Amino acid sequence: MKNPPSNTTGCRKSRFYYGLVIIAVLYLAALLADFLSPYDYREQSRQQPSAPGSPARFHDADGNFSLRPVVYGTRLTDPVAQEYSVDESNAAPIQFFVHGFSYTFLGVIPADIHLFGVSGKSPNAPRIQLLGTDALGRDRFSRLLHGARFSLLVSPVGTILAAIIGILIGITSGYLGRAVDSILMGITDAMISLPTLILILAARAAFPLELPPVTAAGLLIGLFALTGWAEIARLARGQVRSIRDREFVIAATATGVRPGRILFRHILPNISSPLITQVMLMLPGFLLAETSLSFLGIGLQEPEASLGNLLTGAADPTQLRQHPVLLLSPAVVIFLFALGSRLMSDGFGTKQECYRKFQ
């Protein structure tokens, strides 16, 4: 076996690591959402509905430079048009590791420390709002972090369960006899022919809209797992059929190895590369499905946050023209997740192909 050269043309393995870094940063931010959020994502500031991002500067109202940035308050000047002006008489320095709302760190440790914020609990104190507020005065940045946590939990877990179901059905269908293959692939083809999103919508309509976050997450994961397994099942079945007549499989069968052991110890490891690539490609699709459900109002309900119901703010054309970046920030998270997944998929497939080429 030849050793692959360290700098082989066409082996763009670095794509996998670029994608891994993007996905890791997104999940780290979602995991530490409470610590990174300066405010409770459900807390309302009724004096600042649809406010823009808080201006932060490195000099005070007198023009004196400071290494510590200063955040200025905003004043609602036109309630009808929701226009704001900077209140330079109301300023406070941005501080790190400040005390704020209480939360449970990693679901275990009670804490109230936040990465950054503004000290003081005066109702007139300026608020540090990186992405402004929504129509109810809730901090968009804090809601974005918590919304990403929900969406980035539901879609990968649903993808993994769907992949497990599909792989089990696919390898069973590809290895066993024609009768079993016909039945299982008939069911698979029927599932592929159905529009997945419409099927999820119909199934979701059978349950109440108002569900606790944990219940809603479990329901969406179950729906994704039961409706998204068909394509990877068809792929697994084709891979098994292409390898089941290879010499090592025939030798294992001739020595009396049980079919289950042949499937999981001999065949499955040899077809894992395309299956893993397919799972990575499924991730953005499941994330978009969850986002679509929440955007349509039948996923996670207010006041809880998900990327889908955060995007509903972009339905206001006036606000969208005034603050396009703020309102479309959930779409940026979705894009980055899709980009990271695609880079990981492309890089993983290229790396495997490169090593097979030089074996």
Side-chain angles (χ1 to χ4, degrees):
M1 181 180 67
K2 298 180 181 179
N3 292 324
S6 58
N7 195 13
T8 305
T9 302
C11 293
R12 301 179 299 274
K13 295 180 289 185
S14 58
R15 289 188 178 185
F16 176 84
Y17 300 106
Y18 293 152
L20 182 62
V21 169
I22 294 174
I23 297 296
V25 169
L26 291 177
Y27 272 96
L28 183 62
L31 182 66
L32 302 177
D34 292 309
F35 173 67
L36 297 175
S37 301
Y39 304 105
D40 188 341
Y41 69 98
R42 291 164 294 193
E43 177 187 354
Q44 299 182 18
S45 177
R46 298 184 182 276
Q47 294 78 21
Q48 293 183 316
S50 302
S54 301
R57 304 171 184 171
F58 285 90
H59 57 82
D60 56 22
D62 299 328
N64 299 320
F65 179 79
S66 173
L67 292 176
R68 174 173 292 181
V70 177
V71 62
Y72 288 86
T74 55
R75 183 188 300 114
L76 182 61
T77 56
D78 188 345
V80 177
Q82 293 183 331
E83 295 181 353
Y84 288 80
S85 62
V86 178
D87 184 6
E88 295 189 352
S89 64
N90 188 13
I94 297 176
Q95 298 183 351
F96 293 94
F97 303 104
V98 298
H99 293 276
F101 69 92
S102 300
Y103 61 93
T104 306
F105 183 70
L106 300 179
V108 178
I109 306 172
D112 64 351
I113 299 295
H114 301 272
L115 178 62
F116 63 92
V118 177
S119 62
K121 297 185 178 180
S122 171
N124 297 323
R127 291 166 60 89
I128 177 169
Q129 298 165 159
L130 299 181
L131 299 178
T133 62
D134 63 9
L136 298 178
R138 298 172 298 191
D139 183 47
R140 287 187 183 277
F141 180 71
S142 300
R143 291 185 63 78
L144 179 64
L145 291 173
H146 286 82
R149 172 189 286 180
F150 179 84
S151 299
L152 295 182
L153 170 67
V154 169
S155 55
V157 175
T159 302
I160 292 172
L161 291 179
I164 292 174
I165 295 173
I167 290 172
L168 290 177
I169 292 176
I171 62 176
T172 302
S173 175
Y175 187 75
L176 296 183
R178 182 175 300 177
V180 175
D181 183 38
S182 299
I183 294 173
L184 293 180
M185 284 301 102
I187 298 173
T188 301
D189 292 338
M191 289 295 299
I192 292 177
S193 65
L194 295 174
T196 303
L197 184 58
I198 301 301
L199 188 62
I200 294 174
L201 289 172
R204 177 66 180 89
F207 297 89
L209 286 179
E210 298 291 339
L211 293 174
V214 176
T215 305
L219 175 61
L220 293 176
I221 289 171
L223 292 177
F224 294 158
L226 294 176
T227 58
W229 55 267
E231 291 187 1
I232 196 168
R234 171 63 73 175
L235 175 63
R237 182 252 189 188
Q239 292 293 318
V240 171
R241 289 181 67 86
S242 67
I243 205 175
R244 67 178 184 178
D245 293 329
R246 297 277 294 273
E247 291 82 359
F248 66 92
V249 178
I250 296 175
T253 304
T255 56
V257 179
R258 291 176 297 178
R261 186 176 180 85
I262 293 175
L263 278 174
F264 291 100
R265 294 294 299 272
H266 298 278
I267 293 180
L268 190 57
N270 285 278
I271 64 172
S272 60
S273 178
L275 297 180
I276 293 175
T277 302
Q278 178 64 23
V279 171
M280 293 179 183
L281 292 175
M282 290 167 58
L283 282 170
F286 280 81
L287 180 64
L288 289 175
E290 186 280 323
T291 303
S292 301
L293 292 176
S294 297
F295 181 82
L296 295 173
I298 57 176
L300 190 64
Q301 301 296 307
E302 294 279 1
E304 302 300 329
S306 76
L307 295 178
N309 58 31
L310 288 176
L311 277 173
T312 57
D316 186 345
T318 303
Q319 290 293 319
L320 185 60
R321 285 194 298 269
Q322 293 178 349
H323 313 294
V325 177
L326 305 184
L327 294 179
L328 295 177
S329 54
V332 175
V333 175
I334 296 172
F335 168 77
L336 289 176
F337 184 80
L339 175 64
S341 301
R342 182 56 188 262
L343 289 175
M344 288 179 64
S345 172
D346 189 23
F348 181 83
T350 303
K351 181 169 63 174
Q352 296 299 317
E353 181 181 352
C354 174
Y355 275 93
R356 286 196 301 267
K357 180 179 178 181
F358 289 95
Q359 283 181 350

